[in-house]
Amino acid sequence: MGALCVVAVAAIADAIRKPSGEGRAGRDQAVERLRAAGLTGTLVFSGNECRLRAVRLPALAPVAFDDARACRFSIARDGRLTIGDAVPQPGGPFRAWCRDGWVELAARGGSSLPFTRLYRFSGCGPAWKPSGVLTYVREGELVELRMGCGGGGFCTRVLLSAEDVRRSLGRAALVEVAWLDDATLGAIAREASSRRYALAIFERGRLRALARFGADRLSGIRASPRGTYLAVRRGEAGRVVILERSLRPVPLPAPLRAARAIAWSPDERWVAAAAGDDLLLSPLPQGDADPIRVPLAAFDVAWHRETAQAYPLPGSS
């Protein structure tokens, strides 16, 4: 493990220290601006060949990181990293993901053991409440998975029925959701006949805000760490849109809108974006026209207070 960490640190250092003078100047300028902005924490990103790497802000110091490859990943608030598109349970051992129209739930028996798939449920779009309760979309409605009922098994409770959704959104059905807090969620809905998309905010089952996007496809809904913002991808190009709870769009500089992936700082005051050959950092809620450019190519990115630990999930990529 030690040798692998040394290799990873060396690789990160090589990625940061570009051979040209222009590259070194860009790194030094980024460090200066990061320090002036008071930015801290650890940026974890998937770099060349989807190898996971990490640097600590503001000095862009390489961080020893478990050797792993993942084009996509996520980090829970406790710092545990999950490979692939699985979503980790806040403060718990479970991971959930969608595969071929089924939600699969997995857990690990110990810190060094691989994940073991436990259950499958018909549906998709798994999303955890901040309290650790799993919800998912089943036939256009939102259900909550309850554990320990019926003699120790699982049962479900409908949170938003298909009729509730139609009453609020017309002929639309739920596609995926993200929880802002235990009572409030953002939801992507789609009309099957017209393929029109909408984004809605529900609080305790009641519609609070609605934004219609026409035929522009919406996907990849995510909530910020404290539930202040939502992010979605819009259109076939997958341009990033960040919105407040009222669904008012947050102005973003053009390079961030075209990013491959974004991540909020733990305090939600900044956003980091994987954009081509650079990681771009910009303040919120008003994006900076001149974001901080960190010369690191990344496919996906996460921002955490400390260094994350990698827990690979077999079967994900």
Side-chain angles (χ1 to χ4, degrees), residues 146-162:
R146 292 185 169 186
M147 303 181 185
C149 57
F154 292 95
C155 57
T156 59
R157 179 171 72 99
V158 176
L159 299 181
L160 276 175
S161 69

Side-chain angles (χ1 to χ4, degrees), residues 167-182:
R167 189 163 48 245
S168 299
L169 305 179
R171 293 175 294 176
L174 293 184
V175 178
E176 55 181 304
V177 307
W179 289 90
L180 298 165
D181 56 50
D182 272 1

Side-chain angles (χ1 to χ4, degrees), residues 10-49:
I12 301 168
D14 289 342
I16 298 173
R17 293 193 298 267
K18 294 185 178 181
S20 68
E22 181 181 351
R24 287 192 297 271
R27 175 194 177 278
D28 293 342
Q29 183 181 37
V31 170
E32 182 179 347
R33 293 188 64 187
L34 291 168
R35 283 180 173 149
L39 297 182
T40 60
T42 299
L43 289 178
V44 182
F45 61 99
S46 54
N48 293 332
E49 299 180 351

Side-chain angles (χ1 to χ4, degrees), residues 8-298:
V9 171
I12 301 168
D14 289 342
I16 298 173
R17 293 193 298 267
K18 294 185 178 181
S20 68
E22 181 181 351
R24 287 192 297 271
R27 175 194 177 278
D28 293 342
Q29 183 181 37
V31 170
E32 182 179 347
R33 293 188 64 187
L34 291 168
R35 283 180 173 149
L39 297 182
T40 60
T42 299
L43 289 178
V44 182
F45 61 99
S46 54
N48 293 332
E49 299 180 351
C50 292
R51 187 180 299 277
L52 291 177
R53 297 170 176 167
V55 292
R56 183 168 291 118
L57 303 177
L60 298 180
V63 175
F65 200 75
D66 291 346
D67 186 66
R69 294 175 186 269
C71 292
R72 294 291 185 189
F73 64 93
S74 60
I75 297 181
R77 293 182 182 182
D78 61 6
R80 294 194 175 190
L81 185 148
T82 299
I83 301 299
D85 293 324
V87 286
Q89 181 188 30
F94 293 100
R95 302 292 186 269
W97 63 95
C98 178
R99 181 176 297 165
D100 299 328
W102 293 85
V103 173
E104 297 186 346
L105 184 65
R108 186 176 50 248
S111 60
S112 62
L113 298 178
F115 280 92
T116 302
R117 192 181 71 193
L118 298 178
Y119 298 97
R120 300 178 78 210
F121 309 96
S122 177
C124 209
W128 297 94
K129 290 183 177 181
S131 60
V133 175
L134 179 64
T135 66
Y136 59 96
V137 177
R138 182 183 64 192
E139 297 181 351
E141 61 185 14
L142 183 68
V143 298
E144 174 184 281
L145 184 69
R146 292 185 169 186
M147 303 181 185
C149 57
F154 292 95
C155 57
T156 59
R157 179 171 72 99
V158 176
L159 299 181
L160 276 175
S161 69
E163 181 58 32
D164 292 334
V165 176
R166 283 193 293 269
R167 189 163 48 245
S168 299
L169 305 179
R171 293 175 294 176
L174 293 184
V175 178
E176 55 181 304
V177 307
W179 289 90
L180 298 165
D181 56 50
D182 272 1
T184 311
L185 64 93
I188 293 175
R190 180 185 62 194
E191 292 183 11
S193 58
S194 63
R195 296 181 179 270
R196 293 182 179 275
Y197 286 81
L199 187 62
I201 300 292
F202 288 93
E203 182 181 3
R204 303 188 189 279
R206 303 185 67 176
L207 182 67
R208 296 301 186 190
L210 176 64
R212 298 191 182 275
F213 288 81
D216 281 352
R217 181 176 181 268
L218 299 181
S219 62
I221 189 169
R222 292 176 58 191
S224 60
R226 297 181 180 182
T228 305
Y229 302 104
L230 279 175
V232 295
R233 290 192 172 277
R234 179 178 184 177
E236 294 303 319
R239 292 189 175 275
V240 173
V241 180
I242 296 180
L243 308 102
E244 298 176 351
R245 280 189 177 219
S246 64
L247 296 185
R248 184 175 71 90
V250 174
L252 293 175
L256 267 73
R257 296 197 298 271
R260 297 169 176 170
I262 66 164
W264 287 275
S265 62
D267 62 7
E268 297 185 344
R269 294 182 179 180
W270 286 72
V271 64
D277 293 332
D278 298 299
L279 283 172
L280 305 179
L281 284 76
S282 184
L284 292 175
Q286 181 67 43
D288 192 334
D290 182 25
I292 300 174
R293 291 183 175 271
V294 178
L296 291 171

